[in-house]
């Protein structure tokens, strides 16, 4: 079981979507193009994550206790061989938390360039849209990557590369990533002139 805590003003899930303070920046409902650019920049800079503040292992009966947590709300993530569970709004001090393992999900896919050649070394950041915890990996020599197992929920994915431009998907599923490669594009430019 891992415990993560969103940080006010830092975690994507506690940053507003522009002027709409009721929708977090990481939410799929945040459709403001300026905010999408801000989301990309924060993830590229390695900011906006909801950090893990504690980890514990359950005993033979599945019981656990997490100590020395600050007052407030945290998320509990349970991942095991038989599944995963997530509770995003748990008040610290609670004594009757029950997490029920359900089938977990694994995000796996392949990163390619425009010529459909595998791209190695691309950084992939999967983020939970409601709690903005980051899960990161890099694509291997065949362009392949795997993230998980994780609790079934809504996740976004951003792909960053030093030489190519990658997407920021506001919502993705394991099935979508397995069915279609992630295509990175080479940077292009436009040259013009503005006249009166």
């Amino acid at each position: 079981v891992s415990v993560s805590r969103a940080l006010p003003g830092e975690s994507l899930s506690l940053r507003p979507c522009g002027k709409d303070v009721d929708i977090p920046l990481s939410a799929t409902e945040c459709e403001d193009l300026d905010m999408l650019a801000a989301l990309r920049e924060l993830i590229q800079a390695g900011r906006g994550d909801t950090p893990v503040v504690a980890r514990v292992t359950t005993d033979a009966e599945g019981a656990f206790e997490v100590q020395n947590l600050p007052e407030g709300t945290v998320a509990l993530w349970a991942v095991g061989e038989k599944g995963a569970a997530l509770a995003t709004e748990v008040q610290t001090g609670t004594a009757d938390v029950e997490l029920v393992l359900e089938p977990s999900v694994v995000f796996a896919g392949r990163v390619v360039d425009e010529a459909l050649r595998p791209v190695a070394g691309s950084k992939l950041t999967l983020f939970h849209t409601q709690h903005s915890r980051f899960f990161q990996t890099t694509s291997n020599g065949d362009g392949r990557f795997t993230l998980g197992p994780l609790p079934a929920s809504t996740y976004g994915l951003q792909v960053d590369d030093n030489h190519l431009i990658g997407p920021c998907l506001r919502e993705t599923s394991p099935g979508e990533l397995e069915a279609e490669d992630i295509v990175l594009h080479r940077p292009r430019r436009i040259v013009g002139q503005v006249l009166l």
Side-chain angles (χ1 to χ4, degrees), residues 160-181:
D160 293 306
D161 188 82
N162 291 334
H163 307 291
L164 302 169
I165 298 172
C168 181
L169 308 171
R170 300 305 300 270
E171 185 175 358
T172 189
S173 70
E176 292 171 343
L177 292 179
E178 287 179 20
E180 193 169 324
D181 291 336

Side-chain angles (χ1 to χ4, degrees), residues 106-154:
V106 175
F107 292 82
R110 187 171 78 131
V111 181
V112 298
D113 64 14
E114 294 170 323
L116 303 181
R117 294 178 299 234
V119 177
S122 291
K123 180 180 170 185
L124 295 105
T125 304
L126 188 73
F127 59 94
H128 192 270
T129 59
Q130 294 174 325
H131 190 62
S132 69
R133 181 173 169 191
F134 290 2
F135 302 91
Q136 296 180 320
T137 191
T138 54
S139 56
N140 68 15
D142 296 328
R144 300 210 172 273
F145 66 91
T146 303
L147 288 158
L150 295 168
S153 193
T154 306

